[in-house]
Amino acid sequence: MSESKVGIVAIVGCGVGRAHIAQGYQRQPSKFQVRALCDVDEDRLTAVGDEFAIARRTRSLDDVLGMKDIDIVDICTPAAFHYSQILAALSAGKEVVCEKPLVGSLAEIDRVIGAERQARGRVMPIFQYRFGDGVQKAKRIIDLGIAGKPYLGTVETAWKRTATYYETPWRGRRDTERGGVLLMHAIHAHDLMTLLLGPVASVFARAATRVNPIDVEDCAVASLVMRSGALVSLSPRPSARTARSAGCASVSSM
Ligand SMILES: NC(=O)c1ccc[n+]([C@@H]2O[C@H](COP(=O)([O-])OP(=O)(O)OC[C@H]3O[C@@H](n4cnc5c(N)ncnc54)[C@H](O)[C@@H]3O)[C@@H](O)[C@H]2O)c1
């Protein structure tokens, strides 16, 4: 897709996919137009299609991949579908945006990287927190060398996730959600940590399920050594607070 062309988008999965339209594409009309929607849930398809006046609606990804005018396939389905849908969209010659978690294993990400090398399109995972003002300022300060040598980082992620959250059938199950607090929630804070502190050299971690009756982890601790030599601790777990989410991170340097 050329830089000057308006990107024609299809949204696949109309849960958070609705927010991609409302908070993303719709605000950039000179760059993107959403022309097609795909969801296996007819009611959602109708609700989101009517709200944004998107006429082309389908329950099948194959239909979307056959639409010649669609440049960008934006995958917002439950986690277990991402891997196969990314590969299908790449082999159909589409650009691919995909929600986190991109895939569920290192072997899968290696195969996605290999498929992308052979494909016309690129894969763009959603890590929206990278684009926050504060994070961008912190990165600039670090990149300019003002922050000095990184000594130590701590990342604590405490998002409130009650039984109600796990009522959505695909959540909390290893086969459909692929992972728990590490893969689904703390992924954002951990992504920021690597953005600011660079690649990880080694990890020692423990994970357990202690809060909700689910089969993915909801508590974890990890001790990391970064390639820079900095030490980092991570402790994702559910919040005991009533606020929907809480999290904090700090980096010590000189
Ligand atoms: N970046 C973020 O902050 C953020 C926020 C919320 C969700 N997410 C991610 O987005 C993804 C979806 O989460 P959600 O909260 O929207 O879930 P959701 O269950 O609310 O919505 C998923 C939608 O996908 C549809 N769907 C399921 N299988 C499909 C298929 N094969 N083809 C087409 N449509 C299909 C479902 O009918 C549903 O409408 C997850 O991977 C989640 O981790 C990311």
Side-chain angles (χ1 to χ4, degrees), residues 11-18 20 38-42 44-45 58-61 75-82 85 98-102 126-129 159 165 168-171 177 183-185 188 244:
I11 303 285
V12 183
C14 294
V16 76
R18 184 203 163 275
H20 286 205
C38 173
D39 199 299
V40 291
D41 180 334
E42 198 73 49
R44 267 204 166 160
L45 204 52
T58 175
R59 297 177 65 190
S60 153
L61 176 66
I75 299 169
C76 301
T77 50
F81 293 105
H82 294 177
Q85 292 181 335
C98 183
E99 265 296 354
K100 61 82 187 164
L102 197 61
I126 297 278
F127 284 118
Q128 77 271 27
Y129 289 74
W159 285 17
Y165 176 83
T168 302
W170 64 270
R171 293 196 185 279
E177 195 170 25
L183 194 68
M184 294 301 287
H185 314 141
H188 290 298
R244 185 185 159 273

Side-chain angles (χ1 to χ4, degrees), residues 38-213:
C38 173
D39 199 299
V40 291
D41 180 334
E42 198 73 49
D43 292 342
R44 267 204 166 160
L45 204 52
T46 304
V48 178
D50 289 354
E51 180 181 359
F52 297 99
I54 299 164
R56 238 187 291 166
R57 304 168 193 178
T58 175
R59 297 177 65 190
S60 153
L61 176 66
D62 286 344
D63 286 351
V64 172
L65 301 184
M67 295 175 188
K68 294 224 169 349
D69 64 325
I70 296 295
D71 305 304
I72 303 164
V73 174
D74 184 344
I75 299 169
C76 301
T77 50
F81 293 105
H82 294 177
Y83 175 62
S84 60
Q85 292 181 335
I86 291 169
L87 293 183
L90 279 178
S91 69
K94 308 297 187 188
E95 304 288 345
V96 183
V97 174
C98 183
E99 265 296 354
K100 61 82 187 164
L102 197 61
V103 291
S105 70
L106 291 176
E108 286 181 357
I109 196 64
D110 285 345
R111 278 183 231 123
V112 166
I113 291 168
E116 191 197 38
R117 285 206 186 105
Q118 311 293 320
R120 203 178 62 162
R122 291 288 159 268
V123 179
M124 291 157 272
I126 297 278
F127 284 118
Q128 77 271 27
Y129 289 74
R130 286 187 172 211
F131 302 98
D133 289 351
V135 171
Q136 287 295 315
K137 282 179 192 157
K139 177 148 175 56
R140 182 89 176 126
I141 288 166
I142 290 169
D143 289 349
L144 289 172
I146 296 168
K149 175 181 171 183
Y151 291 160
L152 185 118
T154 58
V155 184
E156 297 185 19
T157 311
W159 285 17
K160 192 167 174 66
R161 293 291 183 248
T162 60
T164 313
Y165 176 83
Y166 288 106
E167 277 168 10
T168 302
W170 64 270
R171 293 196 185 279
R173 285 173 39 201
R174 174 108 17 225
D175 58 338
T176 49
E177 195 170 25
R178 309 300 305 271
V181 70
L182 278 164
L183 194 68
M184 294 301 287
H185 314 141
I187 191 170
H188 290 298
H190 297 173
D191 173 59
L192 293 183
M193 187 273 295
T194 55
L195 179 77
L196 298 176
L197 288 181
V200 178
S202 70
V203 181
F204 176 83
R206 290 185 193 281
T209 306
R210 299 186 48 77
V211 183
N212 288 292

